[in-house]
Amino acid sequence: MSSITLKAVEKWYGAVQVIKGVDLEIEEGEFVIFVGPSGCGKSTLLRMIAGLEETSRGQIMIGQRDATAEPPSKRGLAMVFQSYALYPHMSVRDNVGFPLKSAGLPKAEIDAKVEEAAQVLKLGEYLDRRPKDLSGGQRQRVAIGRSIVRDPTAFLFDEPLSNLDAALRVEMRYEIAKLHQTLKSTMIYVTHDQVEAMTLADRIVVLEFGKIAQVGTPRELYERPANLFVAQFIGSPRMNVVPFGTVKLDKAPSGVVSAGMRPEHIDVVESGGGHLQGTVDVLEYLGADTYLILSCGDAGQVTVRVNGTTELVPGDTVGLQVQDGMFHFFNGNGLAISD
Ligand code: ADP
Ligand code: MG
């Protein structure tokens, strides 16, 4: 287990800069998630840490060691990809034990390590099966098992759950959370899915165009997003952002240009009251909740989360009241203004 430190790390492909100076300290045992839209540089940054991509500038430290120029094999990190290449002709037991066999460990030691990994990952009853006789989730667990047996200094995951269906993704998310609790290893996990990031991470690193937009705990990012990008990336449905002038408010911090409000922080009040006026366009009924999508004149479209039992119907005109202290204010550069 090890800490990992990135110092002013850059990646250039010819004249194109893909990673634009990233500084980050990941503590020993921490579960850190890189999240951001497709193409923002998540995989590139992870592959640089793994040593699969050269680092153009800056430094990558593993523990106290400068690993910037080290080949992947020297770094002692385990990488788990979205597409898990298992050996089809080998049993689960042999797949999991393969890295140890390649390293020439004695059979008894391999068996013990494989048993241990199988126990952590609940693979015990599948050890003699072939990959083709496993579900997608079980195969992913075998791939993780194969990295666990090597006692890596850290685990690196690149969208490991993207190939799985929604129900299995939720199940594997739980498994990965348990895995981190059990192993207490340093983990870096890449995903474009903010829900995965929110539910798993000790700390989230939000990347935007190869730069860190914000680093923080899930709760910090949700409660105090530093800018519009993070405000609208974290949270579902996403934060409503309207021109400040369209909101009825007595006082506001200076320099404010836009106002943000999360769908779950808006109450529906009588028409004429509240901060905004809107007409219900569409109701999305989800059972426990209903999302109202309203047209609010110059403020544009606003989404509000209400109880699933709401009796509102399209065409109803209502007032929208943002709960006390729940406005987010942003300046002309999209940076949060703290009040
Ligand atoms: P993500 O994993 O966040 O979706 P990537 O790290 O895969 O993003 O890619 C980041 C950016 O780097 C993208 O714009 C991609 O087109 C670019 N990129 C990736 N690999 C190369 C390459 N070998 N040559 C040039 N550009 C690349
Ligand atoms: Mg990627």
Side-chain angles (χ1 to χ4, degrees):
M1 238 207 300
S2 232
S3 63
I4 295 174
T5 309
L6 310 183
K7 294 182 183 168
V9 160
E10 297 180 17
K11 179 70 186 178
W12 295 77
Y13 288 111
V16 180
Q17 189 175 18
V18 172
I19 299 295
K20 301 173 181 169
V22 168
D23 288 286
L24 183 67
E25 281 182 45
I26 297 169
E27 284 171 39
E28 202 174 301
E30 202 177 12
F31 196 151
V32 166
I33 296 202
F34 296 169
V35 74
S38 179
C40 70
K42 305 178 295 291
S43 295
T44 305
L45 194 56
L46 195 71
R47 291 171 59 81
M48 288 161 75
I49 295 169
L52 300 170
E53 291 284 351
E54 200 186 317
T55 298
S56 313
R57 284 201 198 131
Q59 210 178 25
I60 295 176
M61 309 280 295
I62 298 177
Q64 300 307 313
R65 202 175 78 242
D66 184 347
T68 319
E70 280 181 352
S73 58
K74 281 266 162 58
R75 301 191 187 200
L77 308 170
M79 185 114 180
V80 182
F81 295 95
Q82 175 188 121
S83 49
Y84 25 85
L86 301 178
Y87 299 104
H89 59 284
M90 284 187 196
S91 65
V92 168
R93 184 188 307 279
D94 290 343
N95 265 288
V96 173
F98 186 77
L100 304 179
K101 196 170 173 206
S102 309
L105 259 66
K107 187 172 178 309
E109 202 171 317
I110 298 177
D111 288 348
K113 288 248 182 203
V114 171
E115 287 298 333
E116 200 183 306
Q119 201 174 358
V120 171
L121 293 163
K122 292 186 288 200
L123 282 170
E125 53 184 301
Y126 311 117
L127 280 174
D128 295 312
R129 288 201 198 166
R130 297 284 164 87
K132 70 173 169 54
D133 301 321
L134 299 176
S135 70
Q138 290 162 347
R139 279 182 218 157
Q140 186 58 284
R141 288 213 288 264
V142 176
I144 294 170
R146 203 164 51 185
S147 60
I148 289 181
V149 294
R150 295 167 46 208
D151 284 330
T153 49
F155 289 88
L156 311 182
F157 297 93
D158 193 350
E159 311 235 12
L161 309 186
S162 303
N163 282 349
L164 308 178
D165 65 43
L168 203 51
R169 256 197 331 259
V170 172
E171 192 186 312
M172 283 303 293
R173 207 162 73 199
Y174 165 84
E175 304 272 347
I176 288 176
K178 294 296 287 180
L179 186 68
H180 183 247
Q181 282 173 16
T182 308
L183 301 176
K184 300 182 172 62
S185 321
T186 312
M187 292 186 176
I188 309 178
Y189 186 108
V190 161
T191 179
H192 64 275
D193 179 352
Q194 63 93 21
V195 175
E196 238 169 77
M198 291 292 276
T199 50
L200 285 172
D202 291 325
R203 269 194 314 155
I204 297 175
V205 177
V206 183
L207 289 172
E208 181 188 20
F209 298 123
K211 269 192 175 144
I212 294 182
Q214 191 174 358
V215 182
T217 64
R219 193 157 168 191
E220 281 164 358
L221 297 194
Y222 175 79
E223 291 181 352
R224 290 192 301 281
N227 49 58
L228 275 174
F229 181 79
V230 174
Q232 293 201 289
F233 194 81
I234 299 288
S236 175
R238 68 189 203 149
M239 185 189 284
N240 301 289
V241 176
V242 303
F244 181 69
T246 63
V247 179
K248 203 163 79 189
L249 261 177
D250 297 337
K251 58 181 174 52
S254 65
V256 55
V257 168
S258 48
M261 50 218 150
R262 297 200 182 274
E264 56 273 35
H265 296 150
I266 303 174
D267 294 326
V268 174
V269 296
E270 283 198 6
S271 179
H275 299 108
L276 287 165
Q277 303 301 306
T279 303
V280 178
D281 265 342
V282 169
L283 291 102
E284 292 181 346
Y285 174 71
L286 296 169
D289 300 318
T290 291
Y291 298 147
L292 305 177
I293 301 167
L294 303 105
S295 295
C296 294
D298 292 342
Q301 196 179 68
V302 170
T303 301
V304 177
R305 191 182 82 181
V306 296
N307 202 289
T309 57
T310 182
E311 286 177 359
L312 289 167
V313 293
D316 282 352
T317 298
V318 296
L320 300 178
Q321 170 86 33
V322 177
Q323 294 162 12
D324 274 354
M326 291 304 180
F327 266 114
H328 297 260
F329 297 117
F330 302 93
N331 69 18
N333 295 321
L335 299 179
I337 303 172
S338 46
D339 44 354

